[in-house]
Amino acid sequence: MLSLGRARRPDVRPVLRLILALAVGGAAALWPLPYFILLPGSAIPLDEAVHVEDAYHDEVGTFYLTTVRADRATLIRLAAAAFRPAREIVRMDDLLFPHEDVDHYFSRQQAVMEAAEKEALIVAFRKAGVPIAVENRGALVTGVVPGSPADGVLNAGDVITAVDGVPTPTAEDLLGRLASRDAGTPVRLRILREGRPLERTVRLAPFPGSRGRPGLGLIQPLTAREVRPSLAVTIDLEPIGGPSAGLMLTLALINRLVPGDLTHGHRIAGTGTIDLDGRVGRVGGVSLKVLAAAAAGADVFFVPDDPPEAGRTSNVEEARRTNERFRLGLTIVPVRTVDDALQYLRTAFAPAQAGPAR
């Protein structure tokens, strides 16, 4: 009699271990790392983004705002970035304030961009001789350091209008009022929260990241401004952050407010912050912005003419090196003020049409 034994099941444990290892490895490869990978962003044509009521439309060329793309690093993205010459890898700690998360960083950068738009608007209207009303309303809170005196007392979006009864119309006024105060000093803050006036008292103290100095614990306060131009203005841009669009927005606005074409048919890109005195300030990611400008077919690139400092490459040197390394053929133009840029535009090409500003 033939005896049939029970068939042995195949051992699937090695297969399961392999699947588990692949799953863990895949998850690890996609897990966010504490780095950003910076890549060339876009060059945004401002003739399509800047609209001014009753404006001149004489331009034949275009002003371009340039950006940097920031991707959160993973193992896969880092491996891919290793084969791309046009990229930078930076630690998140180099961009974020102490105890700031990524979501708040991007939200803060958007607030900085909105402030830069207003500064560009003010400078452009004043340069063009067109009326504009400006009211400084106080210091805008963009964020609060966790564990600081302001934590749980102030919110992002609050506007601090006075300290101990003394008005603080700008962020600089607020910081100046607090600079000489000792730890433990109570300060009475008058604030606007969603339009409602409130008062809060806070005792100054050292906080994480303050290196022992007492303060409120505000993350990059900005001046809250109400701007009322005499002509309606719309700036329609994709969500971008930071202050580096200031110079190019100023030039694009001036080109709409005065007769003639400042571009003279050229594609003119650039980067740089702008302050209310028309000074152009240093920015980051210049090499990547130069590459974005070249990809858009720009002829000229305005770059901040920042003073050299030990251990730091200037914006001008960075732009020139990138232009030469990749043989882009751009004309790199260093500027310290918006007047420098206007002078270049009026003399490097055919003379602009003369005529009074509106």
Side-chain angles (χ1 to χ4, degrees):
M1 183 175 179
L2 181 63
S3 175
L4 298 177
R6 180 179 296 177
R8 295 181 60 186
R9 294 181 180 178
D11 188 355
V12 298
R13 286 175 296 179
V15 176
L16 292 175
R17 283 195 290 268
L18 176 61
I19 293 173
L20 180 60
L22 290 173
V24 171
L30 297 174
W31 190 262
L33 300 174
Y35 296 90
F36 283 121
I37 301 172
L38 305 183
L39 301 164
S42 55
I44 302 171
L46 291 176
D47 58 335
E48 301 174 5
V50 174
H51 308 280
V52 180
E53 175 192 23
D54 195 27
Y56 292 99
H57 292 276
D58 300 330
E59 68 267 18
V60 180
T62 308
F63 285 112
Y64 287 90
L65 176 162
T66 52
T67 69
V68 170
R69 187 177 119 200
D71 290 341
R72 185 74 180 273
T74 63
L75 285 176
I76 289 178
R77 286 176 174 170
L78 282 176
F83 297 95
R84 300 186 64 167
R87 55 96 179 101
E88 296 177 15
I89 299 172
V90 298
R91 290 187 57 84
M92 289 174 55
D93 290 347
D94 293 337
L95 299 179
L96 275 59
F97 279 83
H99 304 283
E100 183 180 30
D101 61 34
V102 174
D103 288 341
H104 181 266
Y105 168 76
F106 285 113
S107 174
R108 175 169 58 83
Q109 289 298 299
Q110 183 62 42
V112 172
M113 174 62 182
E114 292 170 2
E117 287 183 1
K118 291 182 179 180
E119 289 169 342
L121 197 63
I122 295 166
V123 174
F125 269 68
R126 288 175 176 173
K127 288 292 179 186
V130 181
I132 185 169
V134 181
E135 179 185 358
N136 295 331
R137 305 188 63 194
L140 173 67
V141 178
T142 64
V144 173
V145 176
S148 69
D151 189 15
V153 179
L154 298 176
N155 300 333
D158 287 349
V159 177
I160 302 173
T161 60
V163 173
D164 294 333
V166 179
T168 54
T170 69
E172 292 75 18
D173 291 327
L174 171 67
L175 297 176
R177 293 292 303 170
L178 299 176
S180 59
R181 307 291 181 95
D182 296 326
T185 302
V187 293
R188 183 165 45 90
L189 305 176
R190 188 184 306 153
I191 66 175
L192 285 174
R193 178 173 295 168
E194 298 179 349
R196 294 185 299 113
L198 301 171
E199 284 202 0
R200 296 288 186 268
T201 298
V202 182
R203 288 187 180 274
L204 303 183
F207 53 88
S210 73
R211 300 179 181 177
R213 294 190 298 268
L216 290 175
L218 303 181
I219 297 177
Q220 196 178 7
L222 303 171
T223 298
R225 289 191 174 95
E226 184 176 349
V227 179
R228 297 184 297 276
S230 56
L231 300 174
V233 176
T234 303
I235 299 176
D236 185 17
L237 291 170
E238 62 187 54
I240 56 177
S244 65
L247 170 63
M248 300 312 296
L249 281 174
T250 302
L251 294 174
L253 284 162
I254 292 173
N255 210 29
R256 288 293 170 89
L257 294 169
V258 299
D261 177 20
L262 291 173
T263 71
H264 300 285
H266 291 267
R267 296 182 176 185
I268 300 171
T271 187
T273 66
I274 199 80
D275 68 13
L276 293 184
D277 293 321
R279 291 186 294 253
V280 177
R282 176 182 173 85
V283 297
V286 166
S287 63
L288 302 174
K289 294 173 183 177
V290 168
L291 290 165
D299 310 307
V300 174
F301 191 88
F302 285 127
V303 63
D305 189 4
D306 56 324
E309 292 186 11
R312 187 181 79 174
T313 303
S314 71
N315 280 175
V316 177
E317 184 179 358
E318 187 178 351
R320 287 174 173 163
R321 283 181 181 177
T322 303
N323 193 37
E324 293 171 4
R325 177 188 176 190
F326 292 95
R327 300 179 181 180
L328 302 176
L330 286 167
T331 299
I332 304 297
V333 181
V335 293
R336 293 188 177 182
T337 66
V338 67
D339 286 336
D340 290 346
L342 292 172
Q343 179 68 12
Y344 175 85
L345 293 169
R346 288 166 177 156
T347 58
F349 310 122
Q353 299 176 22
R358 294 189 184 184

